[in-house]
Amino acid sequence: MTAQSNGEVVLNLSGITKTFGPLIANDAISFSLKQGEVIALLGENGAGKTTLMNILFGHYVADSGTVTAFGKELPKGDPQAALDARIGMVHQHFTLADNMTVLDNIALGTQKLFWPSFDRAKARQRIVSHAEDFGLSVNPDALIADLSVGERQRVEILKALYRDARILILDEPTAVLTPHETDALFRTLKMLVAKGLSIIFISHKLQEVMAVSDRVLVLRGGKLVGEERTAETDRKALAGLMVGEEIKPPQISEPQTGKTVFRLENVSAKGVGTGADLHDIFLDLKAGEITGLAGVSGNGQAALAALISGTLSPTKGRIHINGETIGSWSPRHALAHKIGRIPEDRHAVGMIGDMSVTENVVSERYLSNRFSKMGFLNWGAARRFAESIIHDFDVKCPSPEARVRLLSGGNMQKLILGRAFDGDPQMILASQPTRGLDVGAVSYVHAQLLKARARGAAILLISEDLDEVMTLADQIVVMSKGRLSAPSRRGARTIADLGTLMAGHGFESASNTAPKEPDHAA
Amino acid sequence: MRLEPKPAPSMAVTLLYPAMAILATFVIAAILVMIAGAAPLQVFGLVIKGAVGSQFALVETLTRATPLIFTGLAIAVAFRAKLWNIGAEAQLYAGAVMTIILGTGAIAAPAGILIPIIIVGAMTAGALLLLGPAILKTRFGVDEVVTTLLLNFIFLLFVSLLLEGPLKDPMGLGWPQSERVVAEARLPRIIQGKRLHYGFILAIFSAIAVWLIMAKSVLGYEMRAVGHNPEAARFAGIPVNRVLVKTALLSGGLAALAGVSEVAGLKGNLTLDISPGYGYTGIVVAMLALLNPLGVVISAIFVAGIFVGADAMSRSAGVPSYISDVMVATALLSMVTAIMLTRFRIRWR
């Protein structure tokens, strides 16, 4: 990006410290943002990026330190002050009302209460002019519900611009975008800085940070550990700063492909939450292979994961396990067929936070003779099982009696792995298994999946992280709008090809037919 | 003002806050007593004396605590699985009605056989009364707070119908009351000539049994899992709906035992006023006990003691006995606040 960063300082954070009990979320962080500059705030999950932005926005009160915008110190703990200081934020999870139009969403909250009239024509004209200036094409009269994720993000940016934001903060803006949409977002950001806006771009993806920023600030464990000019650094150096140690990529051997363990044949199902319905899914999972499922969030992955987990029943089609057609289907049936399941949301679905480690790890097999007799639980055996998982999976927790809520995300995930991998399942469903984990935990999860693959388990890895899918998967399928693409072997499709499929193009030939090997075509 | 989550509370904090809640209860009650024109310390002294100050007082308190233990257990069980049973009052009356149907001569058997039949019959009646709301909840997502609460009024009117019709005592001089249960159906007195009866022993055993179920059994584990996080429970293969129905049966059955105990143990016959809201007070009892089955025994005795003591106090100090309702309500609010403060800290700005 062009170096425009010789303007005046528009935002200055000085000595921001925030603690939560024994945890130091932000430790004396100071930096300043100049006019026309893009700063990337880089860091692992839990590095303190979100806490820092919450302080800037007055959602949290810092223990010490000051925030100054355009020369004026912002009062602490007052979200309105940040808005008045012309700071706008685009959250990772959009804050739009689905049942209202783009125009109404943007104008919402800017109108005076008890003011009878609302000059729609003027508001529309302002939106259209901003949209033209910054290449944010969107129809002001469209309903939010009808927009794609990329378009919704544009509405969020327009909303900030409509309120005359001069400083724009984007929190992980690319997490929900396809590669094409990401490129479009970067073009918009360039136009914004050209008009003199300043941008803070929060991310943990190195290539994006390199592509858009003028300066990179690296946070680790709540501390500002590095401040580099983007032009003078590279990905490797930043990765080192971010993680604090070198992480070796996993070594992946050739797959020992076996017979088909799990097969979905022409399966349709209702969507889960706001996600898409499933349409005519064909999926073959073979022993000894990792199948990676790529796709933009909300395209039916949640429904597919729920279907395989047993919590969702198909409305059409058949499930085959080891060649046998399955009659009734529930979580207990899935467990009985030795399917280990790692759910997407470990807090809401994977674990019961208010129950102990022991109570959680036995939840999938408390009825077996091992853990209960005559309707009474054998807590001694359960505790020993918990201790073995804590030991084998290196879980950091005070005791098996500790409430799971108190564990970090990584340790919670290790418990879920321990529970899912008990009894050597023949198949593993790993749904977003590394989301929100730090680098150490991510590589641990990957190693465990590869270990299960080596012993011959069939693995389905559902992930929104394309890098993860392309690194681990022996075959890749792409999901878009509830449809599944034909599979391709490792390396057969480029990022661009996958991006096209993720955007929903190129499915016509693949749908409603049994999977065929696309290798010849590609 | 806002709430921020606190790290796990230490043992000292866990004990200190409930103690402060009790203190706060007395301070607030003291202010009200002063407004009523009496000396708080004197009034509290009279309440305590009236509750536990003599053998008569103690017996009266334990007698009053008996139905509260049953309804408290019924609520504790249901709330643990987050099944909001507000209908313990109706289930109590269902148990009472069944006691009259089985115990007024329909079955001729010695006490050792008749009493167990009455207990089983009454528990079945109470369980069935909660089965409807439970099925409506699990099948159609109907809010059980509404159904169980409204069922209280419906069932009380039904009891009224029975007492004016088929169950009316022909020798009752036209009063809406049932015949008396036969001698073999009576729960014997623990001490001759005192009102305390074996229903109290049954209540203690029930509390221990419920504690065993909650802490040690598969069903108790399932109930806690469903109560804490039904989605995670379902994912793990716990049959959430079936667990809720089982919970409803257990809860309704326990509440019905309060009806058995009041009719067969204390009153001998059924009238429309055998329960001054024991079903609702059971909610307070269970909450004060933090849903712990053994704690329910203690909190039921505490609540009963305040009621009994306040009655005695109002006779001699001239302060209305409504102060007992205020004290129990204040105790509940203070306890709920104390629990919140162990989990969150308040930030002022």
Side-chain angles (χ1 to χ4, degrees), chain A residues 352-422:
Chain A
I352 301 171
D354 282 323
M355 291 176 87
S356 71
V357 169
T358 304
E359 287 171 310
N360 269 287
V361 293
V362 297
S363 65
E364 289 183 350
R365 45 192 127 266
Y366 62 96
L367 286 178
S368 70
N369 286 335
R370 192 168 149 207
F371 296 123
S372 67
K373 283 206 176 71
M374 316 270 292
F376 279 84
L377 282 154
N378 181 349
W379 285 119
R383 193 193 150 101
R384 283 192 293 282
F385 178 51
E387 279 166 350
S388 76
I389 287 181
I390 290 170
H391 178 263
D392 295 348
F393 288 80
D394 191 27
V395 182
K396 303 239 172 4
C397 73
S399 79
E401 278 76 41
R403 285 179 179 211
V404 165
R405 186 175 297 293
L406 304 173
L407 270 56
S408 74
N411 283 310
M412 216 185 267
Q413 193 71 326
K414 284 177 177 177
L415 280 185
I416 292 175
L417 287 179
R419 184 176 72 185
F421 287 13
D422 179 59

Side-chain angles (χ1 to χ4, degrees), chain A residues 395-468:
Chain A
V395 182
K396 303 239 172 4
C397 73
S399 79
E401 278 76 41
R403 285 179 179 211
V404 165
R405 186 175 297 293
L406 304 173
L407 270 56
S408 74
N411 283 310
M412 216 185 267
Q413 193 71 326
K414 284 177 177 177
L415 280 185
I416 292 175
L417 287 179
R419 184 176 72 185
F421 287 13
D422 179 59
D424 290 342
Q426 59 169 337
M427 176 187 154
I428 290 157
L429 164 73
S431 191
Q432 319 286 358
T434 59
R435 180 190 278 172
L437 299 186
D438 63 51
V439 174
V442 168
S443 64
Y444 186 86
V445 171
H446 288 173
Q448 289 294 328
L449 290 176
L450 289 169
K451 211 167 114 187
R453 167 184 180 260
R455 92 173 148 67
I459 297 167
L460 177 64
L461 169 67
I462 300 178
S463 176
E464 281 152 25
D465 184 344
L466 203 48
D467 285 344
E468 179 174 54

Side-chain angles (χ1 to χ4, degrees), chain A residues 169-313:
Chain A
I169 299 166
L170 298 129
D171 187 7
E172 303 269 358
T174 60
V176 292
L177 301 183
T178 64
H180 300 295
E181 287 172 327
T182 302
D183 290 342
L185 171 68
F186 288 175
R187 283 196 296 278
T188 300
L189 296 187
K190 282 186 180 147
M191 279 188 248
L192 291 172
V193 289
K195 300 264 178 184
L197 270 81
S198 309
I199 293 174
I200 297 178
F201 183 92
I202 302 171
S203 182
H204 64 259
K205 294 186 181 165
L206 289 164
Q207 74 273 23
E208 291 173 0
V209 165
M210 294 301 293
V212 297
S213 68
D214 300 312
R215 259 194 311 150
V216 187
L217 304 174
V218 186
L219 286 181
R220 186 175 77 230
K223 285 196 180 68
L224 191 59
V225 292
E227 185 172 350
E228 308 277 340
R229 300 197 65 80
T230 312
E232 294 160 11
T233 186
D234 57 32
R235 283 173 64 164
K236 199 161 164 239
L238 289 178
L241 278 173
M242 183 163 90
V243 180
E245 62 188 282
E246 201 141 339
I247 293 287
K248 285 193 274 307
Q251 292 296 314
I252 296 171
S253 54
E254 277 299 301
Q256 304 291 314
T257 305
K259 61 182 174 45
T260 296
V261 174
F262 186 90
R263 163 177 281 175
L264 292 178
E265 186 189 338
N266 204 21
V267 166
S268 298
K270 293 289 279 177
V272 172
T274 55
D277 296 348
L278 298 179
H279 301 290
D280 312 321
I281 302 285
F282 287 90
L283 180 64
D284 255 23
L285 302 177
K286 293 196 176 71
E289 273 193 8
I290 295 181
T291 300
L293 190 149
V296 177
S297 140
N299 273 284
Q301 296 97 320
L304 183 65
L307 181 89
I308 297 174
S309 301
T311 53
L312 182 70
S313 295

Side-chain angles (χ1 to χ4, degrees), chain A residues 18 21-22 58-61 63 76-77 309 311-312 331-332 335 341-343 347-355 359-360 362-364 366-367 372 375-377 379 406 419, chain B residues 2 4-8 82 209 212-239 242-243 343 345 347 349:
Chain A
K18 173 75 182 170
H59 296 310
Y60 290 158
V61 180
D63 300 342
K76 288 181 176 183
S309 301
T311 53
L312 182 70
R332 281 192 177 170
L335 289 165
R341 304 157 312 146
I342 302 166
H347 299 277
V349 178
M351 290 266 134
I352 301 171
D354 282 323
M355 291 176 87
E359 287 171 310
N360 269 287
V362 297
S363 65
E364 289 183 350
Y366 62 96
L367 286 178
S372 67
F376 279 84
L377 282 154
W379 285 119
L406 304 173
R419 184 176 72 185
Chain B
R2 65 175 148 204
E4 282 184 4
K6 264 205 284 209
K82 296 234 163 75
L212 271 174
I213 289 171
M214 294 311 294
K216 306 284 179 192
S217 81
V218 166
L219 177 62
Y221 170 75
E222 290 175 327
M223 283 161 60
R224 282 182 289 130
V226 168
H228 282 309
N229 186 342
E231 213 184 327
R234 197 163 99 86
F235 178 83
I238 296 171
R242 227 183 304 159
V243 170
R343 292 202 188 150
R345 76 163 61 85
R347 279 282 167 112
R349 59 152 215 250

